Amino acid sequence: MQAKIDAFMEEVKARDAHEPEFLQAVQEVAETVIPYIASNEIYNGKNILLRMVEPERAIMFRVSWVDDKGEIHVNRGYRIQMNSAIGPYKGGLRFHPSVNLSILKFLAFEQVFKNSLTTLPMGGGKGGSDFDPKGKSDDEIMRFCHSFMSELFRHIGPNTDVPAGDIGVGAREIGFLFGMYRKLRNEFTGVLTGKGLSWGGSEIRPEATGYGTVYFAENMLKTKGGSFKGKTITVSGSGNVAQYATEKAIQLGAKVVTLSDSSGYIYDADGIDEDKLNFVMKLKNERRGRISEYTDTYPSAKFHKGKTPWEEKCEIALPCATQNELNGEDAKTLIGNGCICVSEGANMPCTSEAVAAFHKAKIFFAPGKASNAGGVATSGLEMTQNSLRFKWTRQEVDDKLQQIMNDIHEKCVEYGTEDDGYIDYVKGANIAGFVKVADAMLAQGVI
């Protein structure tokens, strides 16, 4: 079987040798899905996975914009339309200097499985630009977003491709992008999700990824009679996902002791309560400050410059920052310090070495394609509300989100339970996500 996996990866590497993040994502899926394909005749010999790793369409375009001083800048824009077998392409837009084809293809590939797991009719896609919103004025960001959408609008639509936000793309950016789309197409449709509540957005959408990450972790703990109550939690990141994962963990009775950004992390032994979290939200969402400023207001906390929070003792770790932020050594430190559960809030924040360490120690580990699917699930609910010209209440959306996360957990348990009773959530998520998309692809023929 290993020979089959190796042969498959060699074929992928021959085309995409320069894309390490994408190859990492494909390797993780191949190791669990290829044995499943080999044991199920309906998929064997159809090259389904090889077709799934090749984007249906990869779009790259120039984005020219003018700054406040009148200087012209040029960035690259992208949209990877990975797979539409079960519905329109769905996935975020990321504005960050690190954006390149490898990162966007890895995110789009993961999105295919994630969207499949939600049970909603959504295909997988991802896009963005190497534009950095940090330090830019609102007018500069508006000009960039309008220029970006002036090309992207040709390739998206409510029944074709429905982008959302991601790193660097929040409510402000979605507003600017939607405004230009509406002008160019002369129509008001649900073509973007993450919209403002007054113009087609959904309740719970900003909270959904963070909430869902915690809901999934709670489901894992329940399989052994556990819960969040009284647990010590380390969280990385301090953006949208980290903020709302922290909020939900606090509501469930846990004590969150860390948050971070690219400059380092803060450790608060007393725990980050609701008031402290509100301070962080204003710091990050309104002032766009650095997490180190937390200690100016709460001097009993400590700031650790240039480090990640995985050296701190905890029972639950929620990596909510970015890809490959938690490595093999970090994983060993977490396990040695008594961590029993890791739930990914970001996309692929744990390296393959870290994941192997968690599995070897037999602790709960949830891959992002399962545990952070709450964001895209609620985006799907926003699409539904837009189509119906209807609006659900906050409680209704939260109830639907919890049910979707419960259903994803059940599917992971169904396909991931080992002979010794250990639940391999990576295997479960990969196979469950694969089956729905593969069945649709088989039904539609070779296209």
Side-chain angles (χ1 to χ4, degrees):
M1 186 54 62
Q2 190 58 49
K4 287 186 176 181
I5 296 170
D6 291 343
F8 173 81
M9 288 306 304
E10 285 303 314
E11 188 166 355
V12 177
K13 288 175 184 176
R15 294 177 175 175
D16 304 305
H18 57 296
E19 298 174 356
E21 294 88 357
F22 177 61
L23 293 174
Q24 180 183 342
V26 173
Q27 179 82 43
E28 182 218 79
V29 170
E31 288 175 352
T32 52
V33 168
I34 287 178
Y36 181 81
I37 291 172
S39 62
N40 288 268
E41 188 60 34
I42 187 174
Y43 308 118
N44 204 9
K46 305 295 193 305
N47 271 344
I48 292 285
L49 191 57
L50 191 62
R51 288 150 64 185
M52 288 174 69
V53 302
E54 192 66 25
E56 292 177 4
R57 194 171 293 104
I59 302 155
M60 185 171 74
F61 50 94
R62 182 180 66 208
V63 185
S64 302
W65 59 281
V66 182
D67 68 18
D68 290 340
K69 296 178 181 178
E71 185 176 346
I72 299 170
H73 298 264
V74 178
N75 288 95
R76 286 182 176 176
Y78 302 89
R79 189 65 180 172
I80 308 299
Q81 297 176 332
M82 200 76 189
N83 192 295
S84 60
I86 62 173
Y89 307 107
K90 185 82 190 79
L93 295 171
R94 175 177 294 192
F95 292 169
H96 192 272
S98 66
V99 164
N100 57 37
L101 273 176
S102 177
I103 287 174
L104 292 180
K105 282 177 67 178
F106 122 63
L107 291 168
F109 183 64
E110 290 275 294
Q111 200 76 44
V112 172
F113 291 81
K114 186 187 300 185
N115 293 359
S116 173
L117 285 168
T118 68
T119 73
L120 300 173
M122 302 182 295
K126 207 75 177 183
S129 173
D130 56 0
F131 171 76
D132 188 357
K134 288 182 180 178
K136 306 294 192 301
S137 70
D138 286 351
D139 285 344
E140 287 173 327
I141 289 172
M142 179 186 70
R143 288 192 288 270
F144 173 83
C145 288
H146 285 176
S147 179
F148 183 89
M149 183 54 77
S150 68
E151 174 61 33
L152 185 66
F153 87 100
R154 310 170 196 278
H155 311 289
I156 63 175
N159 298 308
T160 304
D161 186 348
V162 184
D166 194 79
I167 294 173
V169 179
R172 174 183 57 178
E173 289 77 15
I174 292 293
F176 293 148
L177 290 165
F178 183 79
M180 180 54 74
Y181 180 87
R182 183 173 61 82
K183 178 179 180 179
L184 292 168
R185 297 297 293 265
N186 192 28
E187 61 182 19
F188 193 110
T189 61
V191 71
L192 289 161
T193 55
K195 298 184 293 297
L197 289 174
S198 63
W199 44 284
S202 174
E203 296 281 359
I204 303 290
R205 179 58 192 92
E207 298 92 334
T209 306
Y211 279 15
T213 300
V214 173
Y215 289 149
F216 196 93
E218 180 88 344
N219 278 323
M220 290 195 293
L221 294 171
K222 283 179 180 177
T223 64
K224 298 293 185 181
S227 72
F228 263 63
K229 190 171 183 178
K231 299 291 193 303
T232 298
I233 319 288
T234 52
V235 177
S236 68
S238 50
N240 188 65
V241 180
Q243 291 171 16
Y244 289 111
T246 298
E247 180 175 90
K248 183 55 64 176
I250 293 169
Q251 291 174 3
L252 294 178
K255 182 171 79 168
V256 177
V257 295
T258 69
L259 287 169
S260 71
D261 61 18
S262 57
S263 66
Y265 77 92
I266 56 103
Y267 174 77
D268 190 335
D270 298 326
I272 299 169
D273 58 23
E274 291 183 2
D275 289 339
K276 293 174 180 177
L277 179 59
N278 286 334
F279 169 82
V280 172
M281 288 180 170
K282 289 180 180 178
L283 172 69
K284 285 294 182 178
N285 304 343
E286 297 175 16
R287 291 169 44 203
R288 303 187 187 276
R290 307 304 288 164
I291 197 65
S292 58
E293 296 175 47
Y294 181 96
T295 59
D296 296 337
T297 303
Y298 303 102
S300 62
K302 304 293 183 184
F303 174 66
H304 299 268
K305 185 177 181 179
K307 292 186 176 183
T308 54
W310 313 124
E311 60 191 12
E312 302 293 348
K313 289 186 176 182
C314 68
E315 289 145 301
I316 301 171
L318 305 177
C320 298
T322 190
Q323 67 266 10
N324 292 327
E325 59 168 296
L326 196 163
N327 61 35
E329 290 303 312
D330 295 328
K332 291 175 184 176
T333 300
L334 281 170
I335 294 164
N337 282 337
C339 182
I340 60 170
C341 176
V342 179
S343 185
E344 293 188 330
N347 291 304
M348 205 169 71
C350 299
T351 66
S352 54
E353 292 80 12
V355 175
F358 294 141
H359 283 165
K360 184 178 180 181
K362 300 288 186 181
I363 72 168
F364 293 115
F365 172 72
K369 62 171 66 73
S371 53
N372 75 22
V376 74
T378 306
S379 285
L381 298 178
E382 182 177 328
M383 291 167 64
T384 301
Q385 292 171 86
N386 291 165
S387 297
L388 295 171
R389 297 289 194 266
F390 190 75
K391 187 177 179 63
W392 291 317
T393 66
R394 180 182 179 88
Q395 189 59 54
E396 287 173 324
V397 177
D398 198 17
D399 289 344
K400 294 178 191 298
L401 170 62
Q402 289 188 59
Q403 187 57 57
I404 288 171
M405 298 312 296
N406 293 346
D407 292 344
I408 293 173
H409 181 264
E410 287 181 9
K411 281 291 184 184
C412 290
V413 171
E414 177 186 346
Y415 287 101
T417 302
E418 303 283 313
D419 293 338
D420 62 359
Y422 176 68
I423 303 170
D424 183 341
Y425 286 94
V426 174
K427 175 183 175 183
N430 287 342
I431 294 175
F434 168 82
V435 166
K436 183 177 181 180
V437 177
D439 287 350
M441 291 176 70
L442 287 175
Q444 294 168 30
V446 181
I447 53 175

